[in-house]
Amino acid sequence: MTSNNPSNSNQTRSQRQNFLAIAVTVGVILLAVIGFLAYNNVNKARQLEMTMSEVDESEKLRKELETQYNQALADLEAQKTSNQELNAMIDQQKAELESSKNRISELLKNKGQLTKARTEIDNLKSQASQYLAEIVRLKNENAALAGENQNLSSQRDSLNVTLQSKSAENEALSSAKAQLVNEKEELSGKVNIASVIKAKSVTAVGQKVKGSGKAKDENSAKSVDQIKVCFTTLENEVVKPGNEQFHVRIVSPNGETLAVDDMGSGSITNRKTGEEIRFTQLAELSYSNGESQECVVWAPTNASYIKGKYTVEVYNKGYLSGTTSFTLK
């Protein structure tokens, strides 16, 4: 027999309701767990996808870096010539590119530095292009300079030829000039010699001066106070009338020229020998192309003379005009 107890029915309904609530709660929890797991899987998939993308990008950049670097090295190497300075510059540029490459390689190892690595690769490419442009510019400048040097060399050679020609002409002119000078000097010497006024009857004596002032010839060396020299000029039609100078030279037995500067002594050049000689006294006279006698007296204060033979020379225009000698005992 079936029981219709209301309390049992209520209890059964309450149990059902509790079960339903628990089931709903479990279902919600399961849905939450499933949602979390799904979300987590999606995130992991996204992270994995991003990681794979970054790996692909890093490898792509690494290959691009190698390509750009190797191409830059090849381009620079191709620019080398026999110019050592230019080659040294290229080697330096290659070393700088290698340093940039190594720095970029370190950036590629870090996922967070890929953007910077990309920028650095672009910079490396730009750097290589600048280096190459600089090398080409320098080579063009060197070529231009080589052309200028060639032109300068040609000009130099032309100038050398012209200079040698002018030098030969100058040597010829100098030789001709020297010959003319020699001829002129020879002619001048002949004219000078022709214009020398000869002196004849050259005499020289020692004299003693008395208290009255009158001079007497004396040949005793210890008694002589002065020396008197006289000469007669000869006719010379080449010489125009006018003042003429005659240099009288008295040479002692020991070879010394009697001379006192304060008394008009001095030096002249012997035109025949070129030797500079001292003279004792200067005689100036008015020459009229005829014979005339001239005398000079050498009378220095407190003069003393030695024994022996004295030589007297008379010069006109630097040439010996006449000579004589005398002896003091």
Side-chain angles (χ1 to χ4, degrees), residues 203-205 207 225-231 244-251 256-268 277-285 294-301 303 305 311-318 322:
T203 61
V205 294
Q207 291 184 329
D225 297 317
Q226 61 187 30
I227 297 174
K228 182 178 181 180
V229 178
C230 296
F231 57 91
E244 286 289 338
Q245 293 183 339
F246 290 83
H247 295 89
V248 178
R249 184 187 187 203
I250 304 173
V251 182
E256 294 181 357
T257 300
L258 303 184
V260 178
D261 290 341
D262 291 341
M263 294 182 63
S265 301
S267 298
I268 61 171
I277 57 176
R278 295 278 285 165
F279 67 87
T280 305
Q281 201 163 1
L282 173 65
E284 290 188 282
L285 57 92
E294 180 70 17
C295 293
V296 296
V297 176
W298 175 249
T301 304
Y305 300 92
T311 301
V312 177
E313 298 172 344
V314 179
Y315 289 85
N316 177 243
K317 300 181 179 66

Side-chain angles (χ1 to χ4, degrees), residues 19 26 35 45 48 80 82 89 95 122 146 150 157 178 193 218-219 231 233 252 267 269 273 307 309:
F19 177 77
V26 171
L48 179 60
K80 284 192 173 182
S82 59
M89 181 177 180
D122 292 339
Q150 183 63 37
D157 294 340
I193 292 175
E218 177 66 59
N219 62 3
F231 57 91
T233 59
S252 68
S267 298
T269 299
T273 64
K307 297 178 181 180
K309 182 179 179 180

